[in-house]
Amino acid sequence: MNWQGGDGILAIYEAGGPELYTGTSEDVRVAVAAMTAETKDGLRYEAVPWRKFHHAYGPGDDLPSVLTGIWSSDAESADGKLLDLWNRICHQGTPSAAGALAVPFLIRIALAHSHHRALLLVGALARRPHLGDGTRAGLLRADTPAGVINIEPSGYLIAWSVEAARQALTADTDLLLPLLDHTDPAVRTATAYALSAAAAPARDRIKAALYARFDVEDDLVARASLVLAIGEVAWTERDADTIARTHTWWRDPARPAEVRVSAALAWLCLVDDPIPTELDTLLDEKATDHLATLLTPVPWLFDADPEDGLRSALDQMRNPDDYAWLAKF
């Protein structure tokens, strides 16, 4: 099978593969890097090559009107329009090239109007499609595993779209950090989810801000989300300090259940050790149906299963052989 390419569609199966398009006008990472501060801050949509890149339903040149509509709507209307936008640019959890171009503008919408759903969408666009992956290797993984080629409905390479979205997110890290102290816990939760997907240059600043917020956080969902965000920031390099802290947190009987359980999940993702008997016992005791229901809004767990994310993640971590197929994505 050969993709013949065209604007915004990489010829994945042609001789030479997508590397032929690296650094060209067909590379969405180049388009994101070319966005100036004036373009982003001034909402200069006309300066962005929307038509060249696609979402689930076609070229992205319809997105400026959608983004403008979200910006000018009241909170309730904007929420519905954000759901519609999500369906276009991250359809069924699949990030798109056109979606990567929208990330800087979604960030500014979130800053101006405190739309937590805009931040959740930024976080989703900056992550590989999870497809319900709550495994130890997958729950906190943002990038595409080496050697895996997944394509969008348009034929575009998902890994490039995710890299471009992470690139845009990383460039705007300092704009988002103050939102970790927002008065709305839903905004704090969504900010942690978005920031934890940023690329390496911003990770030290993000890590420090997440720890600072964790020390004062009093909302159950936000607190659990901060723990998983801290784990995700450490995931690529398996940061020894974070491994030690999450280990201490899940073993500490003075910590609330949502901290101990989320710290256990983060720690399991950061190490290759077999699950200790002590931890198995803790999870049986603390990961109750009640806690699972309370933690439903935690974005990572929602990614694993929108209805029962904690139970799904625990089942996958405890029975990895049953979910080996997820490694292909």
Side-chain angles (χ1 to χ4, degrees):
M1 178 178 181
N2 279 334
W3 288 97
Q4 294 304 311
D7 281 353
I9 302 176
L10 296 178
I12 297 294
Y13 299 105
E14 287 181 1
E19 289 77 13
L20 290 171
Y21 300 91
T22 301
T24 72
S25 62
E26 298 287 333
D27 188 339
V28 69
R29 298 168 297 183
V30 172
V32 166
M35 285 192 205
T36 64
E38 291 76 17
T39 294
K40 294 183 285 188
D41 294 339
L43 307 181
R44 292 184 53 210
Y45 299 124
E46 74 280 359
V48 179
W50 299 102
R51 184 163 186 77
K52 185 174 285 291
F53 299 98
H54 293 63
H55 52 66
Y57 297 104
D61 52 356
D62 60 337
L63 296 187
S65 63
V66 177
L67 291 164
T68 298
I70 294 169
W71 184 279
S72 60
S73 296
D74 59 50
E76 184 176 352
S77 296
D79 201 50
K81 291 175 181 177
L82 278 164
L83 284 171
D84 175 68
L85 178 63
W86 196 311
N87 185 49
R88 299 188 196 202
I89 64 177
C90 198
H91 185 67
Q92 296 182 346
T94 301
S96 64
L101 298 179
V103 165
F105 304 109
L106 287 167
I107 287 172
R108 281 149 184 81
I109 286 171
L111 289 167
H113 303 291
S114 300
H115 289 318
H116 77 280
R117 199 177 299 280
L119 293 166
L120 291 174
L121 179 51
V122 167
L125 289 165
R127 287 173 168 82
R128 67 190 178 88
H130 270 71
L131 301 175
D133 189 350
T135 64
R136 294 174 68 173
L139 184 68
L140 301 183
R141 181 170 198 147
D143 61 340
T144 302
V148 172
I149 294 181
N150 292 325
I151 59 174
E152 302 167 21
S154 69
Y156 203 82
L157 192 65
I158 291 176
W160 284 17
S161 298
V162 171
E163 285 179 35
R166 296 180 78 193
Q167 177 183 330
L169 171 60
T170 304
D172 283 334
T173 289
D174 291 332
L175 296 179
L176 289 176
L177 287 174
L179 291 183
L180 287 172
D181 295 318
H182 196 277
T183 56
D184 183 351
V187 172
R188 300 197 298 271
T189 294
T191 301
Y193 179 65
L195 282 171
S196 63
R203 284 185 191 146
D204 286 344
R205 303 197 306 283
I206 293 169
K207 177 183 175 182
L210 292 171
Y211 275 124
R213 182 63 219 178
F214 177 73
D215 287 340
V216 298
E217 184 56 63
D218 59 1
D219 180 81
L220 179 150
V221 170
R223 201 154 47 201
S225 296
L226 285 164
V227 174
L228 291 173
I230 287 167
E232 179 159 331
V233 170
W235 191 88
T236 300
E237 297 179 354
R238 301 299 199 278
D239 174 63
D241 175 65
T242 303
I243 291 173
R245 290 205 199 196
T246 52
H247 184 262
T248 298
W249 289 344
W250 72 252
R251 297 190 71 223
D252 183 358
R255 296 279 181 182
E258 74 275 6
V259 171
R260 297 187 72 186
V261 171
S262 56
L265 295 176
W267 182 78
L268 286 170
C269 290
L270 293 171
V271 301
D272 296 323
D273 308 41
I275 300 178
T277 302
E278 177 189 4
L279 179 51
D280 250 339
T281 302
L282 170 72
L283 294 173
D284 286 339
E285 177 186 346
K286 298 295 182 182
T288 61
D289 290 342
H290 178 64
L291 183 66
T293 299
L294 291 175
L295 295 183
T296 297
V298 172
W300 292 263
L301 300 181
F302 188 88
D303 288 343
D305 187 328
E307 295 183 357
D308 200 1
L310 177 58
R311 292 284 183 217
S312 179
L314 288 176
D315 184 57
Q316 292 182 47
M317 291 185 184
R318 285 169 151 170
N319 303 287
D321 291 344
D322 294 343
Y323 298 93
W325 59 272
L326 284 168
K328 299 177 181 179
F329 302 95

